[in-house]
Amino acid sequence: MAVLPAASVTEQKAPPPAEVGIAIAGGGLGGLALAVGLLERGFDVHVFEAAQELRTGSGTIIGITANANTALDGLKPGLERAVREEGSVSKEWLSYRLQDGKEVEKKNIKMGITVIRWQSVQNVLAKLVPPERVHCGHRLSAYEAVQDGVDVTFDLVGSSGEHHYTHRNEQAACGQRTVRAKLLVGADGIRSAVRRIMAGDAPRYVHHLNWNAVVPTEFIPGLEKDTLHRTEDDVTGLITFKADAGHGWSFWQVRVRDTDGRLADALGPKWGGLGKPGAKQRALEHLEGLGKAYNAVRSAIESTAEADIFERRLMANGPIDTWLDADSRVVLLGDAAHAMHPGPGEGARQAFEDAHQLCLALVAQGPRALERGAVRRALQRYELLRKHRCETVQAMALEGSGLPPEETVPPEIRGFTREQRVDRFMEFASWLRTYPNNPVGDPNSRFFKPPAGLQRLVEELG
Ligand SMILES: Cc1cc2nc3c(=O)[nH]c(=O)nc-3n(C[C@H](O)[C@H](O)[C@H](O)COP(=O)(O)OP(=O)(O)OC[C@H]3O[C@@H](n4cnc5c(N)ncnc54)[C@H](O)[C@@H]3O)c2cc1C
């Protein structure tokens, strides 16, 4: 197995070249994973990140399962191991079902999962991208197709000195720079500027409010090493998590259903962020007067500094006609393409699959992959293998959101018993684990069969 080289990414002061092979907008998990995979395959790739430095604070963990492990190792041999070593491989994933705070069922979900701080995954990836290829303070604001490429315009974003919860999209620009690329990848997250230009839509609130933080393990009383605990209350809809994230770090989370949107309205128009004043008290209010099932999470919140609490309304975007634009010189990846409710924990995993498949699609076109016809074929292949799969995952994720079931659950599923719903979800998870096989559906499943037309196209690819 190849050994991963050590390097470091810091803010790059030298300006980027005027022309690059592949420009990636967004230095998050998806953009960096793609950069790692493309560099491994010899492409000229540069990452343009709006923030002053690669983002390190989200108070979040990522749960990495088999599909993402396969994608990571496909991007660069040894990457799965490098990530795993920074996290905790859960030996127990305990799921508690409650009714009005009383435990009615406890299950051990036997599924290997690496739980790791979001920040640690980001750091592992960032170390593999040479600093001269990462350009922070570059916020994409426009792109335009030109002969054999795309001109990409970035606002140069200075340090605003504003609070963490001021989104980088709102910070003032102090100049502009245009870079010509053969291919632009919009990996600029849920509020993607690339997607806004391409499709003009915006993500919507999916009626869950979420508080989370990554804290020293001693903040969560009784949490055992390498365990993950989830509670869900059938009656109140309250969901909590506590999990070991490895190396002395752990994670807590509280998620509240907000059916009529009143809780979110009370927070004002901002999406939330890290260290919002009053966030700690708001999280605690939802656990007030509840039983011992919540003692550890309540105690963890009390121990956490407000500055470390991430408060957000959960957002998702929906399907769009195509992920390609500008004569097939622009393509979406990760949350920009398919931001989803985090219930099944598939957001980053699907971004890693995207990155892996985009690398393979470009390589399949040979050494002239960035020439007009070749890049179009590569992107069409990528879209065929990714779009239907991601939309299926998005739809499943939305079923677990705070939106009413009439809006999210297919009519033929609505009358299912709890056991039938669980079976269906397990079939969904099994399908995802077969990655990279069965890209558009599992012929052996009952609920996730590939649509015949798409399956034929995939078979024609060989
Ligand atoms: C509470 C919660 C829990 C989650 N748990 C899991 C989990 O267990 N497992 C899992 O797989 N996923 C999980 N996710 C989802 C996961 O975090 C995201 O899906 C993943 O980070 C998406 O990666 P990305 O690169 O597409 O976007 P991001 O990581 O958001 O990166 C986008 C980057 O683009 C930058 N940017 C934005 N605008 C511009 C611009 N105009 N120009 C240049 N750069 C720009 C941003 O600063 C950012 O660095 C969770 C999400 C949430 C909210």
Side-chain angles (χ1 to χ4, degrees):
M1 191 170 280
V3 178
L4 299 170
S8 77
V9 169
T10 53
E11 190 185 343
Q12 174 60 33
K13 300 292 181 197
E19 290 194 25
V20 302
I22 300 174
I24 300 174
L29 298 183
L32 288 176
L34 178 67
V36 169
L38 290 172
L39 288 168
E40 179 75 6
R41 290 159 176 86
F43 285 94
D44 171 35
V45 56
H46 286 254
V47 177
F48 297 86
E49 165 57 44
Q52 284 301 297
E53 50 191 78
L54 293 179
R55 197 170 48 161
T56 51
S58 74
T60 309
I61 50 154
I62 299 293
I64 298 185
T65 49
N67 56 328
N69 284 334
T70 305
L72 287 171
D73 259 355
L75 284 162
K76 184 174 177 74
L79 190 51
E80 178 274 325
R81 183 174 171 182
V83 168
R84 176 164 34 90
E85 284 177 352
E86 296 297 320
S88 143
V89 180
S90 288
K91 60 176 191 281
E92 267 192 342
W93 176 347
L94 296 169
S95 173
Y96 303 84
R97 189 175 153 217
L98 309 176
Q99 282 175 354
D100 263 334
K102 300 220 166 42
E103 185 181 315
V104 292
E105 190 180 74
K106 177 178 171 183
K107 270 192 181 161
N108 188 349
I109 299 172
K110 300 205 182 330
M111 188 159 131
I113 183 165
T114 300
V115 177
I116 177 170
R117 289 189 303 157
W118 189 97
Q119 179 179 341
S120 302
V121 187
Q122 171 100 349
N123 288 344
V124 168
L125 295 171
K127 280 186 185 154
L128 297 170
V129 185
E132 65 275 14
R133 290 185 176 273
V134 178
H135 311 285
C136 289
H138 282 67
R139 181 179 64 204
L140 182 142
S141 57
Y143 64 78
E144 188 184 11
V146 291
Q147 179 75 21
D148 285 335
V150 56
D151 276 356
V152 191
T153 302
F154 298 97
D155 290 340
L156 303 178
V157 186
S159 173
S160 71
E162 292 176 86
H163 292 291
H164 286 311
Y165 53 84
T166 299
H167 196 274
R168 57 202 64 83
N169 289 359
E170 294 154 6
Q171 291 174 355
C174 52
Q176 279 199 330
R177 172 170 291 132
T178 297
V179 173
R180 181 159 295 181
K182 295 280 186 201
L183 170 63
L184 166 65
V185 182
D188 49 346
I190 188 165
R191 296 217 281 180
S192 168
V194 178
R195 180 176 173 129
R196 213 165 43 243
I197 297 165
M198 183 185 288
D201 66 335
R204 67 165 171 160
Y205 178 44
V206 293
H207 293 260
H208 265 151
L209 284 185
N210 202 88
W211 291 264
N212 55 270
V214 171
V215 295
T217 295
E218 60 269 22
F219 282 19
I220 308 185
L223 179 67
E224 282 179 36
K225 193 169 154 31
D226 299 331
T227 62
L228 172 78
H229 303 249
R230 178 185 191 273
T231 70
E232 177 160 8
D233 195 303
D234 290 347
V235 180
T236 62
L238 179 66
I239 296 172
T240 68
F241 277 97
K242 51 184 182 174
D244 178 20
H247 299 272
W249 294 100
S250 288
F251 171 75
W252 63 257
Q253 178 172 285
V254 174
R255 185 171 297 161
V256 175
R257 198 160 56 197
D258 179 25
T259 310
D260 58 11
R262 251 187 281 173
L263 292 172
D265 286 348
L267 291 178
K270 299 259 180 184
W271 283 26
L274 204 55
K276 252 197 137 176
K280 182 170 177 159
Q281 191 47 39
R282 285 191 287 276
L284 282 170
E285 271 164 20
H286 293 287
L287 303 182
E288 218 167 82
L290 299 183
K292 66 178 177 24
Y294 300 104
N295 282 354
V297 171
R298 189 185 293 112
S299 169
I301 300 173
E302 280 162 357
S303 305
T304 306
E306 188 153 82
D308 295 330
I309 297 179
F310 209 113
E311 176 181 56
R312 64 187 115 200
R313 54 196 83 183
L314 296 181
M315 311 288 291
N317 54 35
I320 47 177
D321 290 345
T322 176
W323 293 354
L324 314 188
D325 198 14
D327 202 17
S328 297
R329 292 289 184 178
V330 178
V331 66
L332 298 176
L333 177 145
D335 276 8
H338 46 69
M340 58 186 72
H341 184 275
E346 280 294 328
R349 297 176 207 158
Q350 292 304 313
F352 295 148
E353 288 188 16
D354 288 348
H356 182 214
Q357 289 304 319
L358 186 51
C359 286
L360 296 183
L362 287 166
V363 164
Q365 296 302 319
R368 299 190 163 175
L370 297 182
E371 287 185 4
R372 179 186 285 259
V375 78
R376 174 177 293 130
R377 284 191 296 278
L379 297 196
Q380 285 170 345
R381 178 191 178 110
Y382 164 76
E383 190 174 50
L384 170 64
L385 295 179
R386 300 300 307 148
K387 192 163 177 290
H388 175 75
R389 178 174 173 94
C390 291
E391 286 170 3
T392 307
V393 178
Q394 267 184 309
M396 275 301 280
L398 206 60
E399 289 185 24
S401 74
L403 288 166
E406 311 82 71
E407 257 188 67
T408 60
V409 180
E412 65 278 16
I413 309 297
R414 278 182 217 149
F416 272 25
T417 62
R418 189 183 155 75
E419 283 65 35
Q420 285 172 311
R421 288 204 307 274
V422 170
D423 281 353
R424 177 167 166 264
F425 188 84
M426 296 319 273
E427 199 180 74
F428 166 71
S430 302
W431 166 47
L432 295 184
R433 278 201 297 274
T434 64
Y435 177 82
N437 299 325
N438 305 319
V440 293
D442 181 354
N444 297 319
S445 78
R446 270 185 311 156
F447 301 107
F448 302 97
K449 287 198 183 301
L454 278 184
Q455 182 66 15
R456 233 185 348 268
L457 289 174
V458 170
E459 281 160 14
E460 279 165 23
L461 287 177

